[in-house]
Amino acid sequence: MSSDLFVIPFNIGLYFILVYSVVRSTIWFRQLSRSDKLRLQRGFFGMPFMQSLKEIFMESLLHRKIFMRNPVLGYMHMSLAFGWFLLIVFGTIEADFFGEKHLNPPSHAIFFRYFNPDHGAAGLPKVFGFWMDLLLAFILSGLLLAMIKRFIPGLMGMKKTTKHTWTDRIALLSLWMIFPARLLAESLTSGAHGSGSFLTGNLGAQLASFLPVAELAPWFWWLYSLSLGTFFILLPVSRYFHIPVELLLIFMRNSGIRTGDKPSSLTEVQTHACSSCGVCISICQMSYAAGINDIQSAYFVKGLRNGKDIAAITANCLMCGRCEEVCPVGIELGPMRMIERRQGEREFKPMRFIDGYGLNGKKAPVEKDPTQSYGYLVRNEPVKADVIFFAGCMTHLTPSVIIAMKKIMDSAGVRYHFMDENGGVCCGRPLMLAGRDREARELINYNSDIIWRSGAGILVTSCPICYKIFNESYYLDTRVMHHSEFINHLIEEGSLRLGYLHRKVVYHDPCELGRGSGIYDEPREVISYVADLQPATQEGSMSLCCGGSLGNLTLSSGKRALIAADAAKILTSSAPDELITACPLCKKTLGQATETKVADIAELVAAALPGPKGRARVRTKKTLVRVHDNG
Amino acid sequence: MSTVTKHVVVAGGGVAGMEAAGALAELGHRVTLIEKEQKPGGHLKQWHALFPDRRPADDVRKYLSRRIDNRNIKLFTGISVEKVRKQGHDLHIELSDGSALTADAAIIATGFDLFDARRKEEYGYGIYDNVITSAGLEDMFNAGRITTADGRTPSRIGLVHCVGSRDEKVDNNHCSKVCCVTAVKQAIEVRQKLPSCEVFCFYMDMRMYGPYYEELYRESQEVHNVNYIRGKVSEASVNINNRLVVKVEDTLAGRPLRMELDMLVLMVGMEMSQAGTRLAEASALGRGINRFLETGDHHYGNNLGHVKGLFYAGTCTAPMNITDTISHARAAVTETVRYLTTR
């Protein structure tokens, strides 16, 4: 059986990757927190397992999400993943049915044609042969698209494609070799034996007409086996590790494990689950509006995976969350980047090739400079009130918003205390976005103390940045409301009487309010109550970042202006009378980028308040609803 | 000297354009001076007195009017130059009324726009009645009455330096050069006209770069008791008595400061003018990171653009004071004449 030696590279690769997968999964499992271990165990014996199987089928094999975003890219991923999967399944069944015996070693299924060169002449074997050829053709069509994507990304509707490391290149080369090698190996063998279906059979017959096919065939079986073996061995240190790891990620996610704020097994799994598909690159405003093409999530994750110094990439992100919204693998990219920011300054050590296999323990986090403190903050005596209004630092830079809010609350008869009227302490979110959680916590405690002692039932803020941290990181028994929610609440309870402004307006969802906090409907309800709200081209979960984001720690104002100009152009494409937003920072940033008037939702509502002469036609929300019901 | 009469178009009838047109006409060239406003004079029209000697701005206005009172100059007002394009040896110049001119050479003197203070909403311009700009204060000087919106005489006025200059937040990293000394001049004028009114200047640095500026700054403190506080105003608001309240960090004293004021004057900086921007974009003229026109060489070619026969004069290239603007315009004329005689 010396001629069978060619299966050795394949076997080495296959058994290596199987053992490696078990070892690495075990390490990951052991590193999980106790509660996450329990979640995973429970998940394994419950519904999450079934959900995961479904998701694996839909996403890992069919690639539904990529398909919906870009059908050609989706077809490419699907043909390679689903095609290869079916080829393995069909091949195993074929080998099981028609092989020498049941329960063959995997190499007998993979190299079935070599071991059964005359197979498939008639009957059921012929049907199988046809299907195997069809699947191979399916995969090869996807491979062709992959090659086109690599060399001419524009043809695939991709603006950019990810750059590769050398291990990625070798892995890519071996992956690209697998199926053409199989095609040629099978065709040559079929040509020598007059067997094979429409693809391998015909190609084999053609080749046999002018080539010594029988002598050539073993060389291509060797190439096929070597490609597979190389691919498997390089798999853990290449981007293609995402193929098995994504399965694990789906299972962990469905079991209820979340990224949290510290590095964990899940962050490692997410790092490896990224397929570098590049969807996040095309969607990134930093890329298409500001021409910055090396900081997107795919590069961030790749740097993380390859142990590169990514401090600059980590800091240079708007944290707008658009990439997370479209990530086909569902990686929690925002929290992942925040974890990296929290690590702070640390010694950077380049990663060796062998470290890529990740079996040599974890890096110890370096303690940050512990000297900073906000001990000098004076504690003011809080004022008792039902409603606390916290404008926020950014709102203090847009006094028109504060004036509008005062008018609205006075008009509705709200008894409120303006907490930071004479200057307040920052909510802590900018520090948190910079990864300075401990310092942020000091400010959180300071503000919490004032809010608790005021005894207020509602905390209203005009700034979505404050809103997000009040909701997520403060321990309050106060209802936190963004002013758009609060105004909507005032309208609904009938305490705010408003006229109707005959203005065509477009609403811009601030990142921290929309994607960040899930507040999409209330602002729209308020706006359509007082004005003619027109749809925007990109809104809701895919709304744009204004460019002013506090999340980016290094972006220059010139680049910000480019992003703002692009966003403003898209938002005002329907030529509205006003562009309405609900964030002082968006208002400031967009206001400088367009000729269209940019106003906060509070300003719009304040303009709809009845004037001193009461000329505006005043309605309550009920009449509005009825008008809508009657068509 | 050239004996052949050439035709030169000067875009912009402010200080630079008027000086350039006058100098060219004096040398016997035919000049078409094009001003987008109804009257020539540029920003100078609005100014009451000039630093450093506080002479009436009228003196310089009269000089410039005499300068363009020449039969070789044809003045068109209410029209702007929209595009300049090379056509053989000549320049083809398109105007906003749809007509076009052919010229042997042209000088761009489209000047600057004052920074729109509304873009720094935190200072409350356009929101609070008593927040005005340095140009608005000049209007008051011209009208001879310095009063708050409700007609009161202010007892305390604050002047904010660097509004729209040296401010990364509005994408203007450049210094507008003249605002510091304008603030000193205006502070003195307020003190002279309203001796009981306190004046505070909030500054980052005092950039007293010109002759007699430092002396003026000294005089403002020693003779006129103007107060200087080193620190940027972070925000302005109004209190219950409708008085302005500003928050400043006094960086010399190292402590935050809150101050009540009756009036806040924003020393607005210079930006590339919108008309100049339109012209530059339509004519594909290079611009620097400060968005002003980029000159051929910072040291020995700062009247030259990249189009042969097209020259730059005045604040379309960078912020400058009137003295430097007039010198720059004369230099542009020298370059133009050299081009016309040697080409």
Side-chain angles (χ1 to χ4, degrees), chain B residues 144-179:
Chain B
R145 265 166 57 85
I146 307 167
T147 56
T148 60
D150 54 3
R152 285 181 298 114
T153 302
S155 60
R156 201 184 250 183
I157 293 183
L159 273 61
V160 186
H161 291 223
C162 297
V163 175
S165 305
R166 303 176 71 198
D167 186 348
E168 210 190 321
K169 292 271 172 63
V170 293
D171 204 14
N172 283 346
N173 286 312
H174 64 268
C175 166
S176 297
K177 286 171 81 177
V178 299
C179 332

Side-chain angles (χ1 to χ4, degrees), chain A residues 10-38:
Chain A
F10 165 75
N11 277 343
I12 292 174
L14 180 70
Y15 293 116
F16 164 78
I17 195 65
L18 287 176
V19 171
Y20 178 83
S21 299
V22 172
V23 172
R24 190 92 192 243
S25 310
T26 311
I27 293 174
W28 276 333
F29 180 75
R30 290 182 53 175
Q31 282 171 355
L32 281 177
S33 70
R34 224 179 105 76
S35 48
D36 281 347
K37 272 182 196 156
L38 272 171

Side-chain angles (χ1 to χ4, degrees), chain B residues 42-328:
Chain B
H43 293 273
L44 187 60
K45 289 203 298 284
Q46 202 179 353
W47 244 246
H48 177 68
L50 305 177
F51 56 76
D53 51 5
R54 281 164 280 144
R55 73 190 295 181
D58 229 20
D59 289 0
V60 180
R61 278 198 289 269
K62 280 181 186 147
Y63 158 77
L64 290 169
S65 298
R66 284 199 305 275
R67 201 80 173 111
I68 62 165
D69 184 16
N70 186 315
R71 60 194 180 84
N72 286 341
I73 299 177
K74 243 197 225 165
L75 171 67
F76 291 99
T77 56
I79 291 180
S80 55
V81 174
E82 294 297 315
K83 188 176 176 181
V84 178
R85 155 169 78 79
K86 195 86 186 162
Q87 200 173 52
H89 280 302
D90 299 333
L91 290 173
H92 180 82
I93 292 157
E94 293 173 22
L95 305 180
S96 59
D97 63 354
S99 65
L101 295 169
T102 303
D104 297 296
I107 295 179
I108 296 185
T110 46
F112 67 92
D113 279 354
L114 284 172
F115 175 78
D116 178 5
R118 266 176 285 259
R119 279 167 58 196
K120 292 294 284 181
E121 193 184 328
E122 53 266 47
Y123 294 152
Y125 181 71
I127 295 170
Y128 306 124
D129 295 336
N130 293 318
V131 179
I132 62 170
T133 63
S134 42
L137 187 58
E138 290 292 329
D139 289 342
M140 288 191 184
F141 292 155
N142 281 326
R145 265 166 57 85
I146 307 167
T147 56
T148 60
D150 54 3
R152 285 181 298 114
T153 302
S155 60
R156 201 184 250 183
I157 293 183
L159 273 61
V160 186
H161 291 223
C162 297
V163 175
S165 305
R166 303 176 71 198
D167 186 348
E168 210 190 321
K169 292 271 172 63
V170 293
D171 204 14
N172 283 346
N173 286 312
H174 64 268
C175 166
S176 297
K177 286 171 81 177
V178 299
C179 332
C180 281
V181 63
T182 300
V184 173
K185 179 202 76 123
Q186 293 190 335
I188 293 174
E189 286 172 293
V190 170
R191 290 286 299 150
Q192 285 180 327
K193 291 175 209 297
L194 302 174
S196 62
C197 179
E198 288 182 284
V199 179
F200 294 86
C201 287
F202 304 104
Y203 70 98
M204 290 201 277
D205 302 295
M206 293 301 290
R207 298 197 163 176
M208 298 288 113
Y209 70 102
Y212 309 115
Y213 291 6
E214 194 64 37
E215 287 82 351
L216 189 71
Y217 176 37
R218 206 170 245 278
E219 181 194 330
S220 74
Q221 297 171 78
E222 289 174 354
V223 181
H224 305 285
N225 285 324
V226 175
N227 300 289
Y228 290 90
I229 295 174
R230 197 184 80 181
K232 248 195 136 177
V233 173
S234 65
E235 60 201 60
S237 54
V238 287
N239 65 11
I240 205 130
N241 306 320
N242 208 30
R243 264 193 122 189
L244 288 162
V245 180
V246 291
K247 278 205 247 171
V248 191
E249 191 187 353
D250 185 336
T251 56
L252 289 179
R255 62 190 162 83
L257 186 81
R258 294 166 59 78
M259 189 182 277
E260 282 192 21
L261 297 166
D262 297 306
M263 193 185 278
L264 192 64
V265 185
L266 308 178
M267 310 309 298
V268 282
M270 294 190 188
E271 284 187 322
M272 177 67 175
S273 70
Q274 283 189 9
T277 303
R278 267 205 321 274
L279 173 58
E281 279 174 1
S283 317
L285 305 176
R287 291 195 294 149
I289 48 168
N290 57 8
R291 301 189 299 280
F292 287 96
L293 288 175
E294 193 168 52
T295 57
D297 187 283
H298 287 307
H299 299 104
Y300 51 79
N302 76 343
N303 293 106
L304 308 177
H306 303 282
V307 177
K308 280 220 168 76
L310 186 63
F311 303 91
Y312 302 159
T315 52
C316 59
T317 61
M320 50 181 92
N321 63 15
I322 290 173
T323 315
D324 293 348
T325 303
I326 289 177
S327 306
H328 199 245

Side-chain angles (χ1 to χ4, degrees), chain A residues 44 119 172 275 314 385 408 418 476 514 548 593:
Chain A
F44 199 78
H119 182 77
L172 177 78
S275 67
T314 307
I408 291 166
F418 190 165
L476 300 170

